[in-house]
Amino acid sequence: MPQQKSEHIPRATIQRLAVYVQVLENLQREGTEVISSEPLAKACNVNASQIRKDLAYFGEFGVRGVGYYVKNLIASITSALGVDREWRTVLVGVGNLGKALLNHKEFRLRGFNIVGAFDCDPFKIGEEVSGLEVVCTKRLREMIGDNGAEIGIITTPPERAQRAANHLVEAGINGILNFAPSRITVPDHVNVEYVDFFHHLYALSFNITHPNTK
Amino acid sequence: MPQQKSEHIPRATIQRLAVYVQVLENLQREGTEVISSEPLAKACNVNASQIRKDLAYFGEFGVRGVGYYVKNLIASITSALGVDREWRTVLVGVGNLGKALLNHKEFRLRGFNIVGAFDCDPFKIGEEVSGLEVVCTKRLREMIGDNGAEIGIITTPPERAQRAANHLVEAGINGILNFAPSRITVPDHVNVEYVDFFHHLYALSFNITHPNTK
């Protein structure tokens, strides 16, 4: 991994890096081995200097007159993001969405290995989903002590998200991906990311309703 | 709906409005009827002047010395966002995630009514999911002519997302919510929103790996 040059990486850079990885993975699937910065920038919907600036936080990439080696650049970015390793993950809330995520092959493919499934519904406890036995949420702390998970995924209904977050924080988790459509409060050392479908649907409906404001 | 004052509403404002709605819905669930701008701002993780500025695009809200009426403010924001009406929606890709979304009650609750489910897998065509018969993706255009859908949701594997997008665009859809972890190319008049789990997981893993850069 190239030495990280700067302490403070803007959040927008991290978001764009995730987009660059997706675009590079598309290119890799299509068999592209090398790409110059202009077409890469166009595919990522940014300008070439933005890509160079974002990558510069992590070191020197690209070969003058050649461009970027797709496979190497994916490896460098995922290494910089810390996603070139396994992240053991637990999921709280085994409803439709929780089950879908437990069965979603992409999580494991990208190193996010879901090693525990929790729910407080007595009818769900003991059920097996995608090879995992659903365990009572009260046992989170004890189970995480065993399985060493670092990231928690919340897929409960909105009114149970805060309780799930409390259990995760008490169990020592310091990163939460919240799919429940409600905000949660956690201590400062805990990172929360919201996957909010409706935020995106609201943006779509606004843009369709007001096409001239795009 | 208050008259919209400005032509150009920044994207960041739209994103914050979606957060305000979530926080206000939390407050409503807890029985709060009125809230002043400071605690509302704190719960939304912004400052009070930001909220006032964002709301000012849409009119005058809040009562001096009283604060905001929670129920009215939710109604005003959802009206401004264009989400106080039904949005007929179709879904392409009836795998685990697609099925979870078809069964997700929140979509209909928030006015996003999924009226069609499409897949190109002959083993899935004809299957019934959440009251909808899965139809061959090639019939999208014909079906959308009948059901008047305006928004398309893509839940295919990454390598099939572009084809799904092409079918949706040909069928006249002008808003796409893409859950597939790959970028898609569409004509300028079509709005695309990406729901990218991994982008959020990458941000988490980066922040956990580099806690001092937060």
Side-chain angles (χ1 to χ4, degrees), chain A:
Chain A
M1 170 181 167
Q3 193 56 45
Q4 195 178 306
K5 283 183 176 171
S6 165
E7 282 291 285
H8 182 75
I9 317 283
R11 188 180 159 80
T13 293
I14 305 301
Q15 294 185 331
R16 281 189 298 267
L17 288 174
V19 172
Y20 303 161
V21 172
Q22 274 194 347
V23 168
L24 290 163
E25 285 177 345
N26 270 8
L27 290 166
Q28 199 173 34
R29 261 194 299 272
E30 291 161 6
T32 305
E33 291 181 6
V34 183
I35 187 163
S36 58
S37 56
E38 286 298 337
L40 177 60
K42 191 157 178 273
C44 296
N45 210 14
V46 298
N47 59 54
S49 71
Q50 183 70 69
I51 292 191
R52 280 190 291 268
K53 203 174 142 196
D54 287 336
L55 295 178
Y57 284 109
F58 305 100
E60 299 289 332
F61 300 96
V63 178
R64 194 170 293 275
V66 177
Y68 298 104
Y69 288 98
V70 171
K71 195 179 157 187
N72 293 358
L73 189 52
I74 293 173
S76 300
I77 297 178
T78 51
S79 162
L81 289 171
V83 291
D84 57 342
R85 48 160 282 201
E86 185 195 30
W87 286 92
R88 293 171 79 80
T89 305
V90 292
L91 180 143
V92 184
V94 189
N96 286 313
L97 182 62
K99 284 182 185 169
L101 298 187
L102 288 168
N103 284 308
H104 201 329
K105 282 170 293 186
E106 290 276 328
F107 280 91
R108 188 163 304 203
L109 281 174
R110 288 170 192 268
F112 296 91
N113 195 0
I114 306 181
V115 295
F118 297 86
D119 204 293
C120 59
D121 179 346
F123 291 98
K124 286 180 185 157
I125 293 167
E127 194 186 336
E128 197 182 296
V129 181
S130 194
L132 291 172
E133 189 187 320
V134 179
V135 174
C136 175
T137 313
K138 288 180 181 153
R139 292 182 56 202
L140 248 174
R141 192 172 181 164
E142 156 202 348
M143 301 291 285
I144 283 176
D146 293 339
N147 66 27
E150 292 172 87
I151 290 177
I153 298 175
I154 297 178
T155 42
T156 64
E159 63 276 15
R160 297 210 200 112
Q162 184 60 55
R163 198 163 56 183
N166 297 347
H167 280 297
L168 288 166
V169 170
E170 279 164 29
I173 286 286
N174 50 19
I176 293 176
L177 186 65
N178 181 23
F179 284 82
S182 70
R183 310 308 282 185
I184 54 176
T185 307
V186 296
D188 278 347
H189 72 277
V190 179
N191 298 283
V192 180
E193 289 283 324
Y194 292 90
V195 181
D196 184 357
F197 308 163
F198 296 101
H199 146 148
H200 294 285
L201 280 167
Y202 291 179
L204 277 185
S205 65
F206 180 81
N207 288 329
I208 296 173
T209 309
H210 307 281
N212 53 340
T213 62
K214 250 220 293 195

